[in-house]
Amino acid sequence: EAGVVQSPRYKIIEKKQPVAFWCNPISGHNTLYWYLQNLGQGPELLIRYENEEAVDDSQLPKDRFSAERLKGVDSTLKIQPAELGDSAVYLCASSLDPTSGGADTGELFFGEGSRLTVL
Amino acid sequence: QKEVEQDPGPLSVPEGAIVSLNCTYSNSAFQYFMWYRQYSRKGPELLMYTYSSGNKEDGRFTAQVDKSSKYISLFIRDSQPSDSATYLCAKYNFNKFYFGSGTKLNVKP
């Protein structure tokens, strides 16, 4: 079974440029997460989707970040314009619907991440 | 105060050593506790989870939760160079995961 797929793996851009990251979750996983991981830190939630609905976007900097999950499968995270401080790894994760007990097992399935460098 | 605080490390041990990784957490609402392992330039992967106090064993790994002191520990017996990674403790409650900052472990051959 394929895991969570993210692209691109690496991206280098200049500040003020836009960037987009794509995520394909594990088939059948209704819940999709975007996390930000700074060097030497744990993942921090940016946004969580239940199917197409963003149910928790309280930590998403909405002035420059946007996300979408059309048709409740793939998702895209966009930054426009990028700032130097956005350099980090952007992790996508998926899980079964927590209300069905999937995430109660504590299993988030992560992709390998998209490493962003803003110059 | 962060939901989960983790000893930052790094930790360097010789092969075969017993490793102890520790975290503390705040908030006593019903929740699960987890340990994730993250190899360099990879995403985290679940190593173990538990929701009760006491020990849970899986091969060379033992997860321990002490709810009275709000302490989470991971013990690795007979550590191997392949265990070299960053270990993240985490808790889950109310549909949210909270991660510690990770402890980088290096097991020297």
Side-chain angles (χ1 to χ4, degrees):
Chain A
E1 180 183 315
V4 177
V5 179
Q6 290 188 245
S7 68
R9 288 293 317 280
Y10 303 93
K11 189 74 175 179
I12 300 174
I13 60 172
E14 294 190 347
K15 62 181 180 182
K16 300 185 182 180
Q17 294 299 305
V19 64
F21 305 112
W22 172 82
C23 174
N24 178 244
I26 292 174
S27 177
H29 282 192
N30 325 60
T31 308
L32 183 146
Y33 309 75
W34 282 102
Y35 283 90
L36 167 71
Q37 187 173 29
N38 286 304
L39 188 64
Q41 299 297 314
E44 298 174 19
L45 181 68
L46 289 172
I47 190 168
R48 175 169 67 96
Y49 282 93
E50 297 292 342
N51 299 304
E52 305 87 8
E53 183 182 1
V55 295
D56 185 353
D57 63 355
S58 57
Q59 301 303 310
L60 189 72
K62 298 181 184 64
D63 57 336
R64 297 184 300 106
F65 286 66
S66 64
E68 61 182 10
R69 191 183 184 197
L70 299 176
K71 300 182 180 179
V73 181
D74 294 0
S75 178
T76 303
L77 177 70
K78 298 178 181 178
I79 308 174
Q80 181 170 12
E83 296 179 352
L84 296 176
D86 296 332
S87 295
V89 176
Y90 292 83
L91 291 165
C92 179
S94 70
S95 70
L96 292 170
D97 183 349
T99 60
S100 72
D104 283 353
T105 65
E107 186 136 33
L108 281 178
F109 293 85
F110 284 91
E112 294 196 315
S114 293
R115 184 176 296 269
L116 174 66
T117 301
V118 183
L119 303 176
Chain B
Q1 184 183 9
K2 284 190 172 183
E3 294 280 341
V4 181
E5 300 271 7
Q6 185 167 4
D7 293 346
L11 197 57
S12 185
V13 302
E15 183 175 354
I18 296 174
V19 176
S20 172
L21 304 170
N22 303 296
C23 292
T24 57
Y25 66 93
S26 61
N27 190 349
S28 298
F30 180 73
Q31 54 209 341
Y32 292 87
F33 303 95
M34 295 143 280
W35 285 95
Y36 279 79
R37 178 174 60 194
Q38 186 173 23
Y39 289 114
S40 180
R41 297 186 180 270
K42 299 290 186 181
E45 57 180 351
L46 182 68
L47 194 59
M48 296 185 72
Y49 75 92
T50 181
Y51 59 87
S52 59
S53 284
N55 295 350
K56 181 175 181 179
E57 195 172 312
D58 184 2
R60 296 184 295 109
F61 298 88
T62 299
Q64 184 178 80
V65 177
D66 183 344
K67 290 193 174 182
S68 62
S69 59
K70 298 183 181 178
Y71 217 74
I72 314 166
S73 299
L74 179 71
F75 300 97
I76 307 174
R77 292 184 300 280
D78 187 24
S79 56
Q80 302 295 308
S82 58
D83 295 329
S84 298
T86 296
Y87 290 81
L88 298 157
C89 60
K91 70 170 191 177
Y92 169 78
N93 62 300
F94 303 119
N95 292 334
K96 283 195 173 183
F97 291 85
Y98 300 91
F99 288 89
S101 56
T103 301
K104 189 170 184 178
L105 172 67
N106 180 36
V107 181
K108 298 172 291 185

